[in-house]
């Protein structure tokens, strides 16, 4: 859907890395001010991120956000008071198989449980953890394709990326769009009243489902093609410029 006219949006869903954050993992003054003004107008501002609660909560607090948080690509949803609304796990046997692939191909990986992000270590007792996401960073295109095929043989997953060289694996049916729909139902907002901004394939579903899907200037080409509008880059206050254009009165 092409969005060519200004209408009243009630919720802004923001990806973090490559979108809200600059390359130093900071939120610019311009982005902060635009978000504050949107909230003053009664607009809900929701972080919709691949990050876990542990690695995004401080940003939400620093922005004084008063709405929901969608974390780990939609695997968890948290309400205004920080209470868990929904959680969707990946079974431990699938995680073990994905871990075995890291050993077989000597891959860089990360994995997210309900209480930790695992990077340079892994638990011996995999079944003792509650798993939300598994990720690989594979610069070699051919190897990445091979791993993708092997993952498809393990189970049905939701597979996306947050950069051109990585793979992000969530439980089937879990994505940021689904998370936003759940939040909208609880708030009595329609998806037509949502603006969603992002830069990578894990943002694609929410950009396509939102009333106005916005790609960052630094977004992957497929994301730009799916979007209704392209804003400036994450290092040039693209979030602030989009909020100013579409939301602020």
């Amino acid at each position: 859907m092409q969005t060519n006219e200004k209408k009243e949006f009630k919720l802004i869903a923001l990806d973090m890395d490559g979108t809200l954050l600059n390359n130093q993992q900071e939120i610019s003054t311009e982005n902060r001010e635009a978000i504050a003004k949107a909230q003053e107008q009664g607009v809900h501002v929701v972080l919709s991120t691949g990050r876990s609660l542990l690695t995004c909560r401080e940003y939400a607090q620093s922005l004084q956000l008063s709405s929901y948080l969608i974390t780990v690509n939609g695997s968890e949803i948290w309400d205004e008071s920080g209470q868990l609304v929904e959680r969707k796990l990946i079974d431990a046997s699938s995680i073990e198989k994905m871990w075995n692939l890291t050993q077989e191909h000597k891959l860089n990986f990360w994995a997210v449980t309900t209480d930790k992000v695992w990077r340079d270590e892994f638990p011996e007792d995999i079944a003792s953890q509650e798993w939300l996401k598994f990720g690989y960073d594979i610069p070699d295109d051919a190897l990445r394709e091979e791993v993708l095929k092997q993952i498809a043989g393990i189970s049905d997953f939701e597979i996306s990326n947050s950069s051109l060289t990585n793979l992000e694996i969530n439980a089937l049916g879990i994505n940021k769009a689904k998370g936003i729909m759940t939040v909208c139902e609880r708030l009595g907002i329609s998806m037509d009243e949502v603006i969603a901004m992002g830069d990578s394939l894990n943002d694609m579903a929410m950009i396509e489902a939102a009333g106005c899907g916005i790609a960052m200037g630094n977004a992957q080409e497929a994301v730009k093609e799916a979007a209704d509008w392209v804003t400036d880059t994450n290092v040039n206050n693209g979030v602030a410029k989009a909020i100013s254009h579409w939301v602020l009165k």
Side-chain angles (χ1 to χ4, degrees):
M1 182 193 80
Q2 286 300 312
T3 309
N4 296 317
E5 58 185 58
K6 198 160 182 176
K7 62 179 183 178
E8 189 159 344
F9 291 102
K10 296 181 179 176
L11 188 146
I12 302 168
L14 296 174
D15 171 53
M16 290 180 64
D17 295 281
T19 301
L20 175 62
L21 305 181
N22 64 21
N23 295 346
Q24 286 72 48
Q25 312 288 294
E26 299 163 341
I27 304 171
S28 71
T29 301
E30 290 84 353
N31 284 352
R32 286 183 182 279
E33 289 174 351
I35 288 168
K37 287 175 183 172
Q39 289 200 115
E40 285 166 15
Q41 288 182 195
V43 178
H44 292 269
V45 180
V46 173
L47 297 185
S48 184
T49 178
R51 290 180 176 230
S52 68
L53 184 68
L54 296 171
T55 54
C56 77
R57 183 166 40 195
E58 283 184 13
Y59 288 99
Q61 290 169 344
S62 79
L63 289 166
Q64 298 183 299
L65 297 187
S66 54
S67 196
Y68 287 69
L69 283 174
I70 297 165
T71 60
V72 204
N73 291 335
S75 292
E76 291 183 331
I77 301 170
W78 304 85
D79 71 12
E80 308 99 315
S81 57
Q83 298 300 305
L84 183 67
V85 171
E86 198 171 284
R87 174 180 281 158
K88 186 70 183 286
L89 302 172
I90 300 176
D91 65 272
S93 63
S94 293
I95 292 291
E96 184 169 5
K97 289 171 185 173
M98 285 189 279
W99 161 248
N100 289 340
L101 287 181
T102 70
Q103 304 303 290
E104 179 185 341
H105 298 291
K106 297 181 170 51
L107 304 174
N108 291 322
F109 79 96
W110 73 100
V112 181
T113 56
T114 52
D115 59 359
K116 185 170 179 173
V117 178
W118 301 82
R119 286 191 185 275
D120 301 318
E121 56 177 332
F122 212 67
E124 286 186 19
D125 186 0
I126 293 172
S128 68
Q129 305 288 326
E130 292 184 303
W131 297 94
L132 295 166
K133 184 173 78 169
F134 202 96
Y136 301 95
D137 188 50
I138 311 173
D140 183 295
D141 292 346
L143 179 55
R144 193 166 57 254
E145 282 300 312
E146 173 58 29
V147 171
L148 196 54
K149 286 179 190 168
Q150 291 185 270
I151 292 167
I154 292 172
S155 183
D156 290 329
F157 297 114
E158 199 84 13
I159 303 173
S160 63
N161 75 22
S162 58
S163 83
L164 287 170
T165 63
N166 75 25
L167 298 171
E168 296 206 343
I169 297 98
N170 289 84
L172 186 66
I174 292 301
N175 57 55
K176 294 181 180 184
K178 171 80 166 41
I180 294 166
M181 287 173 192
T182 299
V183 168
C184 283
E185 285 170 13
R186 294 173 68 93
L187 293 173
I189 294 172
S190 77
M191 287 298 286
D192 283 344
E193 297 170 307
V194 173
I195 286 181
M197 283 185 241
D199 70 304
S200 297
L201 295 189
N202 64 349
D203 302 309
M204 189 88 98
M206 72 173 182
I207 282 172
E208 291 178 330
C212 182
I214 297 178
M216 302 303 292
N218 52 285
Q220 295 175 33
E221 283 306 312
V223 179
K224 288 181 179 178
E225 288 169 15
D228 299 306
W229 202 70
V230 179
T231 187
D232 210 333
T233 65
N234 66 312
V235 297
N236 286 324
N237 308 307
V239 165
K241 289 172 182 176
I243 291 174
S244 178
H245 181 88
W246 289 104
V247 179
L248 299 184
K249 295 169 184 169

